[in-house]
Amino acid sequence: FAKLNPGEHEIIVKVKSNYNVVAEGKFIIQGDDFTLYQNISEAINEAASTIKTKKTVMPESKRSDKKLESEMLEAFKNSQTYKDRIKGEVLKIVIIDPDWMIRRNPVTGIILHRYIRAAIAVKNSDGSCTLWNLVTFQQDYAGNAFQNTKFDGVGNSESIPCKNIIK
């Protein structure tokens, strides 16, 4: 509504379910300045976002390994994904798998690498916080030993209240 020009406007509202209109109505809005709706819209969206994310918390750690966590954070921060997409200050990491999972060649059975997953909470430049629920790390297998930990990929993120990230 904030972008409407001064004057009278007919607003038509349709509610659809499975692409079919199940309810419909219309009303008239009239005025000289509709910019106040911008603030109302922002307040409603902020309230909805807060309600949606207020129960979001860090997942429970399934493995306590400070050395591995340190390796993960270094690999994560050095990744192009972090530099391009994530960028914020890492507040917390938790390992969400109890142990490494081995990936083998489907034909020969030879060990290719092992992988493990973590969740990482980040504070963004605007002061908000984001939880990256599924960050994968791997160690390639070569010469009968696992190599250095490297970042493998990241899944979707969700907003998390910063106060819900317990250090």
Side-chain angles (χ1 to χ4, degrees), residues 138-150:
Q138 77 176 42
Q139 293 177 342
D140 293 334
Y141 191 72
N144 295 327
F146 289 102
Q147 305 302 303
N148 293 335
T149 303
K150 60 184 184 179

Side-chain angles (χ1 to χ4, degrees), residues 22-128:
V22 294
E24 186 174 350
K26 60 183 172 179
F27 61 93
I28 304 290
I29 187 170
Q30 183 177 351
D32 296 323
D33 183 10
F34 298 103
T35 57
L36 72 107
Y37 288 107
Q38 182 64 39
N39 293 338
I40 294 169
S41 172
E42 289 170 2
I44 290 170
N45 289 336
E46 177 66 27
S49 177
T50 300
I51 290 167
K52 178 181 171 188
T53 63
K54 74 179 179 180
K55 293 184 180 179
T56 303
V57 294
M58 291 290 294
E60 184 179 321
S61 176
K62 301 289 185 187
R63 178 183 177 138
S64 179
D65 187 333
K66 295 298 177 196
K67 181 179 180 292
L68 178 57
E69 288 174 7
S70 178
E71 291 172 8
M72 290 171 146
L73 284 176
E74 182 180 348
F76 180 64
K77 288 181 177 179
N78 287 328
S79 73
Q80 201 61 45
T81 300
Y82 176 79
K83 293 172 185 172
D84 290 345
R85 238 174 104 193
I86 299 168
K87 303 176 188 173
E89 173 194 355
V90 174
L91 298 178
K92 185 172 183 175
I93 182 171
V94 294
I95 301 171
I96 60 174
D97 290 322
D99 205 356
W100 291 91
M101 289 167 269
I102 303 292
R103 197 168 274 145
R104 296 177 178 272
N105 181 297
V107 175
T108 65
I110 294 173
I111 295 173
L112 300 172
H113 62 263
R114 64 183 182 177
Y115 69 95
I116 196 164
R117 301 169 304 165
I120 299 178
V122 174
K123 186 167 192 170
N124 305 307
S125 60
D126 65 359
S128 66

Side-chain angles (χ1 to χ4, degrees), residues 130-145:
T130 301
L131 175 60
W132 296 88
N133 284 310
L134 192 61
V135 185
T136 308
F137 297 88
Q138 77 176 42
Q139 293 177 342
D140 293 334
Y141 191 72
N144 295 327

